[in-house]
Amino acid sequence: TTLLYTIKFELSVVAMFVELQLKASLVNIESFSAEGEDFKWQLKIKCSSCGEEPDHLIHVSQDESSEIKGGRGSANLVVKCKMCGRENSMSIVEGSVKPYSNSSVQFASVVRFECRGVEPVDFQPHGVWTATAADSGVVFSDVELADKEWCEYDEKENREVGIYELESKFIACKK
């Protein structure tokens, strides 16, 4: 007689930590940052299992949470890969959102993601940012960086303020 056994297993997905780093040329700006837990980080992602890269952007926000299948907790983003069917997740590490300041002449980390089965490959700076003018301390709360630059006029100091040449990259890091 022949015995047939069906073995079902699920691969354990190891958490990977990735930081989004920005670099920009700041003109009379002390710093700029994503504001609030409802800020939507617009990312392009890749499935770590099969390499599939959907051509659309997804968003990750601290104020959104979804349950992970199998009762394994929750994450800020839970997605199923359309190619391999694997459920993947990503969360913003609590307390990791930081401003980019004019003392950062090179790339500087602005947020850290905990990724399980998925990794970010591109960032689009959609959404509203907040910028603080150098010297005057004037706060601009309607900064749009979709075009990777922004400029305004600081009436208190009678001069231009701006964020130009915005670049981004992701780096793997330890927890």
Side-chain angles (χ1 to χ4, degrees):
T1 61
T2 304
L3 293 174
L4 282 175
Y5 292 98
T6 302
I7 300 173
K8 184 178 179 182
F9 66 94
E10 188 171 315
L11 292 174
S12 175
V13 179
V14 176
M16 173 175 74
F17 292 88
V18 176
E19 289 184 347
L20 168 62
Q21 293 192 328
L22 298 180
K23 179 180 172 184
S25 173
L26 304 182
V27 175
N28 300 314
I29 290 289
E30 178 65 34
S31 64
F32 70 94
S33 62
E35 285 301 315
E37 290 190 358
D38 61 340
F39 185 86
K40 293 178 179 0
W41 298 91
Q42 303 286 326
L43 308 170
K44 194 163 188 189
I45 57 173
K46 175 173 86 171
C47 177
S48 300
S49 182
C50 69
E52 172 69 8
E53 277 186 47
D55 57 357
H56 61 278
L57 294 172
I58 56 94
H59 73 267
V60 182
S61 178
Q62 285 181 296
D63 73 340
E64 295 178 9
S65 182
S66 299
E67 292 296 315
I68 298 172
K69 196 166 116 184
R72 297 178 294 164
S74 62
N76 297 128
L77 172 73
V78 178
V79 294
K80 187 172 185 176
C81 177
K82 290 186 179 179
M83 181 75 93
C84 69
R86 186 165 189 111
E87 184 178 77
N88 302 313
S89 64
M90 179 185 287
S91 287
I92 297 169
V93 175
E94 194 170 328
S96 71
V97 178
K98 299 179 178 118
Y100 181 90
S101 70
N102 65 2
S103 62
S104 307
V105 291
Q106 295 299 318
F107 282 96
S109 296
V110 294
V111 65
R112 179 179 290 189
F113 301 101
E114 179 180 351
C115 307
R116 293 183 183 271
V118 67
E119 61 185 276
V121 293
D122 190 24
F123 167 70
Q124 295 298 316
H126 298 288
V128 179
W129 298 70
T130 298
T132 304
D135 302 325
S136 72
V138 171
V139 176
F140 298 91
S141 58
D142 58 349
V143 177
E144 290 281 347
L145 291 171
D147 294 329
K148 300 189 179 178
E149 64 180 40
W150 165 86
C151 67
E152 189 58 70
Y153 190 76
D154 180 353
E155 292 181 14
K156 197 170 180 182
E157 290 290 323
N158 293 318
R159 63 184 181 189
E160 171 195 357
V161 293
I163 301 168
Y164 302 99
E165 301 170 12
L166 182 65
E167 298 177 53
S168 64
K169 71 177 184 178
F170 294 97
I171 61 162
C173 58
K174 294 185 179 182
K175 187 175 182 177

